[in-house]
Amino acid sequence: MSVRHSLSHVLKTKFARTIAIPVILIFIGLMVSVLTVTFTSFVSELKENAYIAKLEQLQAIEGSITARIRELNSISDHIQNDMPFTFTPLDDKQYNGYTLTKTLQRLLVGNDFISYLVYHRVSQPDHLLTSVGEISTRSFWNAYVGYQDTDEQDFFAQLHTITDRQILPMRQTQNNDAYMTIVYPIPMYARNPKAYVLSYISDETMDNTVESLFLDTKGELVIYDLAGAPIYHYNNTVRDDFSELLANYTGDTDTGLKEIQIDGEKYILLNHYSDYNKWNYIAMIRSDEIQAALNSKQSSFLLFLLSVTLVAIIAVIASALISYRPINLLAQKVSGMPMGTTGTGAISNEQLLLTNAFNTLIDQAQNMNQHLFFSNLLAEQYDDDSIDAAQSAHGVQFEYGSFLPCALPLPSHTNQPDEAFAEFINSYFDRSNMQCVLLLRSNPDHLLLLINSTKEQLSQQSIEPMLTALYNDASLGYKQALSIGVGDIVESLAQVPASAQKAIRALYSCIMEGNRFIMRYEDIDLKQTASMISDTTTQLLQAVRRGNVDKTQQMLIQMHNVFRDNTISQQHKSYIVYDILTMLRDDIDIPAFSDEVNRLFGTLLNRNVKKPGLLLVQIERLCLATAESKAEKQADRSRELIETICSTISEGLCDNMLSLESISAACGISPSYLSRYFKTHMGCTPMQYVENLRMEQVKDLLCNTDMLLKDILVQTGYIDQSNFIRKFKKQEGITPMTYRKNNSKQVGEYET
C-alpha cells in the first residue's frame, strides 16, 4: 500500500477527525510556544552572559593590576627595610651608588610593569639612584620623566610634602610619553621623610593590561583612587564627554553592571571596587556592538530550533501513520464503537506491550530500592538491630549466612558495568549454592562484588579457582589484566562495609605490586614507609588550611626534627623555609602577619641566613595563628552545615525514598562525607536520625490525632506497616495501638 493511499485512508477515519488531527495541531501549537519561550530565554541569557563576561574581564584586569601593585609594594618595603639604602652614605666603599643601582635593577628582574624605579634622598636633592643607573636629578628629568606642565624643582618640592603612599595620575612628559607615578615615603607616615621611592608606570603598559576588555567593542575605562581622583584613563570611543559621564558613578562601591541610555544610545556600565587598594574601576561599553556580536549565535540557534520543531512534527505525523491500527483500536475502545474489521491480534500484541512495560517499571523500582539499600549499607548506615528491617523494606533477600566482598577494576573502555560485563561476572558465580551482587563505586572507578554462600564455599581453596578462571577469561575477552582484591569472610551484612574496604585496599596493593592478579587482604605487607621532607611540608600546610591546630603542632615538631638533621645542608633548609612561606602567604588573612611574612621573604632573599632554624620559630607562630583563625571560621561553617542537613531531613521526612544519597545531593556533599560528618557532630548516622524523627512524629500523631495507623505511616515516610509494628514493639515494649490507648489525650478507640 502506497504512503499516499495509507494517508488518505487514515484521514477518512473517525480516529483522524476526532483524535489524530486535533492532537497533531495541539502538538504543533505547543512546539511553537516552546520554541518562542526557548528562543526568548536563550537570547536573554546569551546577552546576560555576554555582559557578565565583560564584568569578569574587568575583574580580571583589576586582579592583574592589583597583583602588580602588591609586587611593587613588596619592592618598596624591601628598599625601606634594607639598611644600605636607608643609612649608608653613597661614598661608602662597601655600598656605593653603583652597588645600590644594581640592587634596584635586580629587584626589577622579571617585572615588566614598572618602567623606572627611582630612589631619591632628601639630603641629596641633585642625585638619584635609578634602575637605569646612578644619575643626576636634572639629567634623569630631562631624559626620561620630565612632565610638560611643571619643572623639576616644583615637582620635587611638591614631592617632599608627601608623607603617605600616594598615586600621581598619568601625565604627559616632554618626550611625548605618559607615566603614572607611585610615591612611597621612607619612613612611612613620618613628618619629614628622609627618602622617597618612585615607581613610574607607562601608559602603554596600562593600555596593554586593559585593552582585552575592548577587543570587540568601543568604550572607556577610568580608574579612580581612594579619594575619587582619576589616575588612569583608557578611551577608544569617539565621545568626548565620557569622563564627565563616568564621574557620576564614582561613589558606587558595589561591584556590578547596569544598562544606561545616553542621547538615545545604550551603554553597559561596569563597576568594580578593589578591596586591596580601594581603587574604583568604572567602564562604559556600547551595548549595540555587543548585541551585534551575538546575532550570528542567535540566528544559528533559531535555525536549530526550527529544524528540531520540523523534525518533531514530521515524526509525530509519521508515527500516527505507522501506529494507526493499534491507536485506532484504543480509540474505538474508549469511544465504545464496534471493533469493525480490527483483528484480535492487535489486541494481544498491544496488551503484551503494556504488560511488558508495566513489568519493566516494577523491575526498575525494585532495582532502585535495592540500590538505595546497598548504598546505605556501604556508607555504614545500618547496625545489627536495623539491618533486618531495612532488608525487608527494600526487598533484599540472601539465602546464605556468609558474605565475601571482592574488588576489581572496571574495563578500561567504560566507567560503569554494562550488561555484557555484568553477565560476564555473574556467569562465574551463578550456581545453586551461591549468590552474587554487583555494586559500583564511582570514586575511584572500581567494582565491588558481594558473594553470598556458605562459609565452606567461600573459603580460599573453593573460591580461588573461580577467581582464577574469571581472571583468565577477562584477559581474553576484555584484553586487559583483571586484578582482584579479596576481603574477609563475614557472617553479617553489617560487617560487609569494613570487609569491602579491605577488599579495595587489597585490590590497590595487587595493582601496585604488579606480579600478582589475586590478593587477599590478609596477605598485604603493612610495613610503614619513611616520610619525605616534602610530605611533611605538604601535611603541615594541609593542617594549617584545614584549621587543624593539633595536626599543625605535630607537623611542626616533625619539621624541627628535620632541621636538627645534620645531613641536610643549610641551603636546603633555607629552601624548605622559603617553600613554607610561599605556600603560607596565600592563606594568611591577618594583615600584621602578612607584613611579617614579607619581612621574612626579604630576609631570605637578600641576606645570608646562617641559621634557618631561627626563622622556623617565627614561622611556627604564623602557622599556629593561621590554623586557629581558620578553625574558628570552620566552626561557624560547621554549624551552618548541620542546620542545613537537619532542615533537609525535616522537609523530606514524609518521603519514603529519603536516603543518604538524596540528603547529600540536596546539601551538595558526598554521601560518605555526610555520614562521617553527621555522626561526628550528632552522635548518630543520618538515617538513624531520620528514624528517630519519624518515630517521634508517629508517637505524636498517635497521641494527638484520630488518624488511622496506615495513614500516619504514609505521612511519616514508612513503607511497611508490619515491619513498623515489630520495630515499634521492640523499642517501646508495646504495640502502637496500646501506646495510643495509654498516652492519648482524647477519649475513644481508634481503628488501625
Side-chain angles (χ1 to χ4, degrees):
M1 183 182 294
S2 66
V3 174
R4 180 179 178 183
H5 178 73
S6 177
L7 179 61
S8 175
H9 176 69
V10 171
L11 293 177
K12 292 178 181 179
T13 63
K14 185 176 181 179
F15 160 74
R17 298 193 302 271
T18 59
I19 296 180
I21 294 177
V23 168
I24 291 175
L25 292 177
I26 292 173
F27 176 77
I28 293 175
L30 288 175
M31 288 298 296
V32 171
S33 301
V34 171
L35 185 148
T36 303
V37 172
T38 303
F39 181 72
T40 303
S41 301
F42 173 78
V43 171
S44 177
E45 185 175 355
L46 194 65
K47 182 178 179 182
E48 183 178 354
N49 290 340
Y51 292 169
I52 293 175
K54 287 296 181 183
L55 179 60
E56 291 174 348
Q57 288 180 354
L58 181 63
Q59 293 170 348
I61 290 171
E62 182 273 329
S64 176
I65 294 176
T66 298
R68 301 300 183 86
I69 297 298
R70 286 179 186 270
E71 294 178 13
L72 196 153
N73 291 342
S74 299
I75 291 174
S76 302
D77 291 341
H78 171 78
I79 294 175
Q80 176 172 294
N81 296 326
D82 201 337
M83 294 180 61
F85 275 101
T86 308
F87 301 106
T88 307
L90 294 182
D91 56 358
D92 186 274
K93 294 182 179 180
Q94 183 178 2
Y95 297 105
N96 54 32
Y98 175 79
T99 303
L100 296 180
T101 55
K102 286 296 181 183
T103 301
L104 293 177
Q105 293 171 359
R106 179 173 56 82
L107 291 174
L108 288 187
V109 171
N111 189 321
D112 56 355
F113 190 67
I114 302 176
S115 299
Y116 305 112
L117 183 63
V118 178
Y119 178 75
H120 166 65
R121 286 181 174 171
V122 177
S123 60
Q124 296 173 313
D126 298 329
H127 196 78
L128 296 177
L129 300 177
T130 74
S131 57
V132 296
E134 185 179 5
I135 192 171
S136 68
T137 302
R138 180 175 295 275
S139 298
F140 183 75
W141 179 269
N142 293 332
Y144 295 100
V145 298
Y147 294 133
Q148 294 179 355
D149 55 354
T150 186
D151 57 27
E152 62 174 293
Q153 293 181 352
D154 293 339
F155 174 79
F156 282 98
Q158 179 187 3
L159 178 69
H160 294 164
T161 64
I162 297 175
T163 61
D164 190 6
R165 183 182 292 125
Q166 187 170 333
I167 312 295
L168 302 182
M170 196 73 69
R171 295 166 67 181
Q172 201 76 18
T173 67
Q174 300 170 1
N175 300 325
N176 293 323
D177 297 325
Y179 294 97
M180 181 173 65
T181 309
I182 303 181
V183 181
Y184 294 85
I186 300 177
M188 192 77 74
Y189 306 118
R191 179 176 297 178
N192 296 307
K194 297 181 179 180
Y196 293 88
V197 177
L198 307 177
S199 301
Y200 290 89
I201 303 171
S202 69
D203 60 341
E204 182 179 359
T205 299
M206 292 292 292
D207 290 349
N208 291 338
T209 303
V210 306
E211 65 183 2
S212 62
L213 184 65
F214 303 100
L215 293 178
D216 55 356
T217 183
K218 296 184 181 298
E220 180 163 339
L221 182 143
V222 178
I223 302 177
Y224 297 89
D225 63 10
L226 179 61
I231 57 176
Y232 170 74
H233 180 196
Y234 179 90
N235 182 10
N236 74 345
T237 184
V238 297
R239 292 189 69 100
D240 297 328
D241 58 345
F242 258 49
S243 297
E244 292 78 4
L245 296 172
L246 290 179
N248 297 328
Y249 302 97
T250 56
D252 189 1
T253 60
D254 293 330
T255 296
L257 58 87
K258 64 178 71 173
E259 288 185 313
I260 59 176
Q261 190 166 353
I262 303 173
D263 298 337
E265 295 183 346
K266 291 183 179 180
Y267 293 89
I268 310 297
L269 178 68
L270 306 176
N271 185 15
H272 183 63
Y273 186 74
S274 173
D275 293 329
Y276 176 72
N277 49 23
K278 312 306 180 187
W279 290 2
N280 205 7
Y281 294 72
I282 300 181
M284 289 180 68
I285 301 174
R286 293 194 50 161
S287 174
D288 56 349
E289 294 183 355
I290 295 180
Q291 186 66 38
L294 302 178
N295 287 338
S296 60
K297 294 182 180 180
Q298 295 175 7
S299 301
S300 299
F301 186 70
L302 179 59
L303 181 61
F304 169 76
L305 288 179
L306 291 174
S307 301
V308 171
T309 302
L310 182 61
V311 169
I313 293 172
I314 294 175
V316 169
I317 296 175
S319 176
L321 289 175
I322 295 172
S323 307
Y324 159 67
R325 289 184 63 83
I327 293 177
N328 190 25
L329 178 62
L330 288 176
Q332 289 174 349
K333 291 181 65 175
V334 170
S335 61
M337 293 177 61
M339 305 306 294
T341 59
T342 304
T344 58
I347 298 177
S348 301
N349 292 336
E350 183 183 331
Q351 291 173 345
L352 180 61
L353 177 64
L354 294 176
T355 302
N356 290 338
F358 184 70
N359 290 334
T360 301
L361 291 175
I362 293 176
D363 291 341
Q364 289 178 350
Q366 186 174 4
N367 291 337
M368 182 180 296
N369 262 333
Q370 293 180 356
H371 175 73
L372 291 176
F373 171 79
F374 287 116
S375 175
N376 289 337
L377 174 67
L378 292 177
E380 301 182 51
Q381 292 299 299
Y382 305 124
D383 52 23
D384 291 331
D385 295 331
S386 61
I387 197 164
D388 292 336
Q391 269 188 264
S392 177
H394 291 85
V396 178
Q397 298 296 331
F398 290 100
E399 298 182 20
Y400 306 98
S402 297
F403 303 89
L404 178 64
C406 298
L408 56 157
L410 288 173
S412 57
H413 67 277
T414 181
N415 64 352
Q416 60 181 3
D418 54 22
E419 285 189 24
F421 187 67
E423 292 178 1
F424 169 75
I425 297 295
N426 273 321
S427 63
Y428 285 89
F429 305 99
D430 186 12
R431 302 166 185 246
S432 60
N433 57 356
M434 191 171 290
Q435 185 179 357
C436 175
V437 178
L438 295 180
L439 305 173
L440 176 68
R441 297 294 296 271
S442 59
N443 188 19
D445 289 334
H446 60 259
L447 197 64
L448 281 177
L449 185 68
L450 184 61
I451 306 174
N452 172 236
S453 187
T454 62
K455 192 170 184 179
E456 292 75 17
Q457 291 294 327
L458 297 179
S459 62
Q460 182 174 358
Q461 56 270 26
S462 299
I463 201 70
E464 193 150 320
M466 300 183 196
L467 297 178
T468 303
L470 174 63
Y471 165 80
N472 292 330
D473 286 350
S475 300
L476 295 174
Y478 287 87
K479 307 300 182 184
Q480 70 171 30
L482 188 66
S483 302
I484 303 174
V486 183
D488 295 337
I489 300 174
V490 295
E491 303 299 324
S492 168
L493 274 175
Q495 299 172 337
V496 166
S499 181
Q501 292 301 321
K502 293 180 179 180
I504 295 170
R505 184 167 182 177
L507 170 64
Y508 293 154
S509 298
C510 182
I511 294 173
M512 287 186 290
E513 284 193 10
N515 58 356
R516 300 174 62 178
F517 60 86
I518 298 176
M519 178 172 287
R520 303 178 72 88
Y521 177 76
E522 58 191 26
D523 298 332
I524 299 176
D525 185 3
L526 296 176
K527 292 181 180 178
Q528 297 289 336
T529 58
S531 299
M532 300 299 292
I533 293 175
S534 59
D535 293 336
T536 303
T537 304
T538 301
Q539 292 181 37
L540 171 62
L541 270 298
Q542 287 177 349
V544 171
R545 288 166 181 162
R546 294 172 180 171
N548 190 336
V549 179
D550 294 336
K551 183 69 173 180
T552 300
Q553 292 175 333
Q554 294 176 11
M555 291 298 102
L556 286 170
I557 292 173
Q558 292 187 25
M559 193 62 67
H560 277 296
N561 294 335
V562 170
F563 274 65
R564 294 192 186 100
D565 188 353
N566 295 326
T567 62
I568 302 176
S569 66
Q570 296 295 331
Q571 185 179 14
H572 192 182
K573 293 176 182 178
S574 296
Y575 287 156
I576 295 173
V577 172
Y578 181 83
D579 190 35
I580 296 174
L581 280 174
T582 301
M583 292 187 286
L584 189 63
R585 177 168 54 182
D586 296 332
D587 294 297
I588 289 181
D589 50 7
I590 304 175
F593 287 166
S594 297
D595 295 337
E596 187 169 349
V597 168
N598 291 331
R599 183 181 62 79
L600 293 177
F601 265 116
T603 302
L604 279 172
L605 294 175
N606 302 287
R607 307 272 177 94
N608 183 15
V609 180
K610 297 181 179 180
K611 294 183 178 181
L614 297 178
L615 292 181
L616 185 63
V617 175
Q618 302 178 57
I619 292 176
E620 178 179 2
R621 182 168 59 86
L622 294 175
C623 289
L624 289 174
T626 304
E628 291 172 355
S629 174
K630 291 187 177 296
E632 293 178 0
K633 294 181 179 179
Q634 289 173 3
D636 295 336
R637 289 196 294 269
S638 175
R639 286 191 293 270
E640 293 177 359
L641 180 55
I642 287 294
E643 292 175 358
T644 301
I645 295 172
C646 292
S647 175
T648 302
I649 290 175
S650 298
E651 292 173 0
L653 199 61
C654 62
D655 185 2
N656 55 26
M657 300 299 288
L658 184 67
S659 66
L660 186 69
E661 290 182 338
S662 62
I663 298 172
S664 62
C667 297
I669 55 180
S670 67
S672 57
Y673 178 77
L674 168 63
S675 180
R676 294 193 305 271
Y677 185 87
F678 195 87
K679 190 169 185 178
T680 300
H681 290 81
M682 300 295 288
C684 63
T685 66
M687 299 313 295
Q688 288 172 344
Y689 181 77
V690 170
E691 178 64 26
N692 294 337
L693 285 183
R694 284 175 172 170
M695 189 63 72
E696 291 301 319
Q697 190 172 356
V698 168
K699 292 178 182 178
D700 180 67
L701 293 174
L702 284 172
C703 296
N704 297 292
T705 70
D706 60 353
M707 294 174 60
L708 299 178
L709 179 59
K710 62 180 182 180
D711 295 333
I712 292 177
L713 297 185
V714 170
Q715 183 171 325
T716 53
Y718 284 106
I719 300 175
D720 193 311
Q721 181 172 331
S722 58
N723 283 334
F724 171 78
I725 293 175
R726 286 196 298 270
K727 186 185 301 182
F728 190 95
K729 189 173 182 180
K730 184 176 181 180
Q731 177 175 321
E732 300 295 331
I734 56 177
T735 65
M737 291 301 99
T738 305
Y739 181 87
R740 165 179 273 179
K741 185 176 181 180
N742 295 340
N743 297 278
S744 177
K745 297 180 180 179
Q746 302 179 24
V747 179
E749 297 181 355
Y750 307 104
E751 299 175 357
T752 61

